[in-house]
Amino acid sequence: MMPTASGPTTRGIRSPRRGWFAAALVPALALVSAACGAAAPQTQSGGGASAGGGKLVVWDWHSGDATTKEYYAKAKSDFEAKHPGVQVEFVAQPYDQYYTLLGTAIQAGKGPDISMFNGGAQMRDRVSSLLPLDDKVGDLKDRLVGWDAFRKDSATYAVPVTLQGFPFYYNKAVYKKAGLDPETPPKTLTELQTTCAAIKKSGNACFNLGNKEGLGIEFFLSGFGPGVFSPAQYDAWLAGKRDWKSPEVKQIFDLWKKTNDEGWYNKGVNSTAMFMDQFTMFSGGKGGNVIGLISDTAHWKSFDEFLGPDLGVYKPPVSNPANVTSTFLPAEGGIGYGVMKWTKDPALAVDLVKSLASTDAEKSFFEKAGAIAADKTVDTKSVDVKAAGEIVSWLPDSKPLLHTALSAKTLDLMHRLSQQLISGDVTVDQVLTQLAASDK
Amino acid sequence: MRERGFGRWVVAIPMCLLALATIYPMVFTLNVAMKSRREYVLDRFSLADHLTAANIADAWNSSGLGRYTFNSVVVTAGSVALLLLLGSMAGYAFSQLTFRGRKWLFLVCLGALMIPFQVIMVPFFRVLGQIHLLDTHVGLILAYTGQFLPFTIFLMTSFYSRIPAEIVEAARVDGSTTLGVYRRIMLPLGRPALLSVGILNALFCWNDVLISLLVMQSEQHRTLMVGVTALRGQYSDNIPLFAGGVLVAALPVIAIYLFFQRQITDGVTAGSTKG
């Protein structure tokens, strides 16, 4: 409303009473003053600690989860028993913003004392802000596995807590409905193709897939890779000698497109989120197979909750018999903890990392949260789920994942190209040319 | 003029579809929040069989949303109060006072509107750390004030520009000082705009995640939206719990919108027409 001389204007001038604004402002300012008081004393993240007092701050994306509460409680009590008077604060950050937030802290040189990392590219891109740990964690080397995912240029920058790997999970009830033997999962690509045709005929999706984030191709490459590459080619890929024009690489990308064209997947793959829609569909019985995880999500425990005895698991199928006669579970370090360079007492921070990787804590992570622990000494027999036992039995023969050997930049490109490949906007040859250029 | 006949339907049908597209996510969230996790996994689109408020209660009790709500209220109230005070003063100065460099200073304020927060994130974080305001309510209040002040100044300047100069001149003739004019004329006359700007800024502050995430680094100082976002963990699959948290966080915003929707609309269009 346009103010006029006879309206509120004159009233405002003639009676200078305290208006609504002042009434609102006074309590608000009082609240601010209270807030200033409430915020003191200030807790600064990354304040570090010295022996006998202080605080260590840990950033992660798990300490708020109900399933990991016991893990963190055990790690904390283990550490506090060794260092009375030193406080430990776990700060659960939203995973979506975790690396953005950490990146800002790193650029500003101020943040937590210890940070959680995914193995591979996410950690390797940030090693300049991490302390090398080789001379400090020698006593953990034999007990823990999965170190390679936390190394760069032969230096170790984080301690593995869980393993990461891509087994093929399947739903026995869906197999049964399709007239298949639920106790005999496919061992070769040919068998898998026959299986998929039968499942599709019975009205279900053969595989659940979500490629909205572009992550589907990572699972496909690392999942099918062991059945396509010869052992020598596999090792060469991990060592950085990657031939993007080889028939084997082409076979995997051809298969990515072909399986979609043959209708293996649920509808709308490029608009379906992998986390968690893809896995929710599988848990809900809406698919025969899924390439899942052994780490902290989409694993045997979460599927077992809904599928129970119908949950089965198998290793990657042999897709290229000329190269491969038997396959293995692709697995390596999953998540781990690194010590930030700016921490005031590195020895104390390393001790906390050791508590976070203690056998007692790791056992709880496995039993309650379902992640396969990176600790070889954890007794996995206490869990009565057949799929978990099988996965653990495959670990000694495992090799690292193919996709984590790539840089974050190449992975981003691969995500986008995988979507375009499915929608028919690019050819496999074009995809491989672009990836080869990015991976130089 | 009111549309009649065919023309009316041409307008009404797309509007209804638009309304449906807006309302459906809210209904979906409410429905999911009322489901058990098993129900959601088995069929996420079905209506909840046994309505339960357990997810909302869990989100509130076990995740510290009560404490986060207090933090959000404190920070939002403090920021809005400061924004209204500074924004109205600056708006008055830019619209009614004559001083050297006024135009350029106003352009600088407008220019700040075009800088995305992500661009200044690192220096912002560094400066706040250097002055020891990280992880404090005051730090976040100042951060919000800095971030949303250009918008507030823009709206208040637009609004105050519509006030006839004769009113200010009359007050001057009566012997009022510059501050007196601000207090006795600008504040009472600016009431509709201040209300709208206050509501909009309250919504901005309440809904923010990124700035709050950067400033409030300890869990005890976390704001509600960050607390709700953290409910998701890495790739948490307890979507009903997350939906419960979203509802808790959204209720105050929905209430504000329902009560003040007219003022919000007025605020958005303030200064868009003259005369």
Side-chain angles (χ1 to χ4, degrees), chain A residues 344-357:
Chain A
K344 285 179 184 162
D345 191 339
L348 202 66
V350 170
D351 262 5
L352 179 53
V353 170
K354 285 181 181 178
S355 292
L356 285 161

Side-chain angles (χ1 to χ4, degrees), chain B residues 89-107 109 153 157 172 178:
Chain B
M89 281 182 162
Y92 164 47
F94 284 130
S95 62
Q96 299 287 347
L97 303 181
T98 319
F99 56 91
R100 215 175 193 183
R102 182 179 72 159
K103 201 183 267 180
W104 286 108
L105 208 55
F106 186 61
L107 281 176
C109 286
I153 290 175
T157 305
R172 289 285 197 185
T178 302

Side-chain angles (χ1 to χ4, degrees), chain A residues 16-41:
Chain A
R17 60 187 161 81
R18 180 176 291 185
W20 66 271
F21 179 74
L25 195 60
V26 169
L29 286 174
L31 207 52
V32 176
S33 315
C36 302

Side-chain angles (χ1 to χ4, degrees), chain A residues 164-166 222 234 237-238 330-333 399-405:
Chain A
Q164 180 60 286
F166 292 167
S222 287
Y234 200 99
W237 175 285
L238 295 178
E332 62 184 14
K399 283 186 181 184
L401 307 168
L402 292 176
H403 79 273
T404 56

Side-chain angles (χ1 to χ4, degrees), chain A residues 1-13, chain B residues 96 156 158-168 184-193 270-271 273-275:
Chain A
M1 188 183 76
M2 187 67 199
T4 61
S6 58
T9 309
T10 43
R11 276 206 306 274
I13 296 171
Chain B
Q96 299 287 347
M156 291 312 298
S158 301
F159 186 84
Y160 282 148
S161 299
R162 293 156 61 192
I163 293 176
E166 290 80 3
I167 296 174
V168 178
R184 295 198 176 92
I185 298 177
M186 291 300 156
L187 281 183
L189 285 183
R191 182 181 160 166
T273 56
K274 201 169 171 72

Side-chain angles (χ1 to χ4, degrees), chain A residues 126-205:
Chain A
R126 295 170 176 86
V127 292
S128 60
S129 60
L130 292 170
L131 284 179
L133 300 175
D134 291 281
D135 57 339
K136 300 175 183 74
V137 293
D139 52 328
L140 303 181
K141 286 276 161 92
D142 288 339
R143 181 167 59 86
L144 302 180
V145 288
W147 292 96
D148 284 348
F150 298 103
R151 280 200 189 106
K152 188 177 183 184
D153 302 331
S154 63
T156 307
Y157 290 94
V159 172
V161 172
T162 68
L163 295 180
Q164 180 60 286
F166 292 167
F168 286 58
Y169 294 96
Y170 72 104
N171 183 340
K172 292 179 184 176
V174 173
Y175 271 52
K176 235 183 273 178
K177 191 183 160 199
L180 300 161
D181 178 3
E183 300 308 324
T184 314
K187 288 189 177 62
T188 65
L189 179 63
T190 313
E191 286 176 20
L192 185 57
Q193 283 167 324
T194 311
T195 300
C196 277
I199 292 175
K200 192 181 162 193
K201 206 173 163 189
S202 72
N204 267 313

Side-chain angles (χ1 to χ4, degrees), chain B residues 238-259:
Chain B
N238 197 347
I239 302 297
L241 176 72
F242 183 61
V246 168
L247 272 188
V248 170
L251 279 178
V253 177
I254 293 170
I256 287 177
Y257 183 77
L258 290 178
F259 278 114

